[in-house]
Amino acid sequence: MSRLKTPALEDLPDGATQVLDKLGAQLGFVPNMFKTIASNPAVLEAVVNLQGTMSRVLDAKTRHTIALAVSEANGCAYCLAIHTYVSSGLGGMSSRDIELARAGSSVDRKRAAAARFAQQLVVSRGRVGDEDLSAVRDAGYTDPEILAIVTVAVQALLTNFLNNVNQTDLDIPAVGAASESA
């Protein structure tokens, strides 16, 4: 059960309802995470704006791969479920690629390097080694793209932390442990 109060739609602050309506139109439903953070318009704006801005960096499958890799490394059940839903339903990723992303890999060599680097960011708390940077560069990423990988990873960490603190109620099918996914 969620630990933070999710306001009723009629109790939301001004402007939050429109943001939630837009998200609902994009995703087909309004995820519980957004319903909860709508109680604080500044947090809702920060999360939605960051997601909107980061949707313009890297390609969608790479962003989804990073989000899945980070959510697995950070143990966020809600984020794993929502990113699996979005990656497969809207992002065109296969179940195999989703499984690999959770393990810090991909069917695509370049995306695999981004996933490994993103997981290393989480494990090292951002203190990656020279070999980690070399590996992601050797896969073909430029320094500006590495900055994008870091920011997409931080975006995923932000929602991981919000959902882990809240223990957000799942409003989509849960995903099994990485070793159980197929």
Side-chain angles (χ1 to χ4, degrees):
M1 181 160 161
S2 293
R3 300 189 305 176
L4 302 175
K5 184 178 188 228
T6 301
L9 290 176
E10 61 272 6
D11 295 333
L12 288 174
D14 291 340
T17 304
Q18 293 86 355
V19 173
L20 294 182
D21 288 344
K22 186 176 178 182
L23 287 167
Q26 290 172 338
L27 299 174
F29 74 107
V30 178
N32 283 339
M33 175 188 80
F34 290 105
K35 291 176 186 174
T36 301
I37 65 174
S39 69
N40 186 323
V43 174
L44 179 64
E45 181 182 358
V47 170
V48 170
N49 286 343
L50 180 59
Q51 289 179 338
T53 299
M54 297 317 295
S55 71
R56 298 188 308 263
V57 302
L58 307 169
D59 64 273
K61 286 185 179 179
T62 300
R63 291 191 315 272
H64 293 312
T65 297
I66 293 166
L68 287 160
V70 168
S71 297
E72 182 70 37
N74 204 36
C76 183
Y78 188 87
C79 291
L80 283 169
I82 194 77
H83 288 300
T84 297
Y85 170 83
V86 171
S87 297
S88 63
L90 304 175
M93 288 178 67
S94 70
S95 58
R96 176 72 178 140
D97 209 12
I98 290 169
E99 176 185 351
L100 288 169
R102 291 178 62 187
S105 190
S106 173
V107 296
D108 176 86
R109 183 186 77 78
K110 190 171 180 180
R111 279 199 320 267
R116 279 190 301 277
F117 186 75
Q119 282 192 331
Q120 188 56 31
L121 285 167
V122 174
V123 171
S124 70
R125 294 185 288 182
R127 292 179 178 90
V128 295
D130 291 341
E131 64 281 357
D132 298 312
L133 279 171
S134 291
V136 77
R137 283 181 178 133
D138 289 347
Y141 287 101
T142 63
D143 286 0
E145 290 171 324
I146 293 169
L147 292 171
I149 292 169
V150 172
T151 307
V152 171
V154 169
Q155 171 191 326
L157 278 173
L158 171 61
T159 57
N160 287 177
F161 284 12
L162 290 169
N163 287 300
N164 282 345
V165 165
N166 187 33
Q167 295 178 359
T168 306
D169 291 332
L170 285 173
D171 47 358
I172 49 179
V175 296
S179 61
E180 297 172 8
S181 60

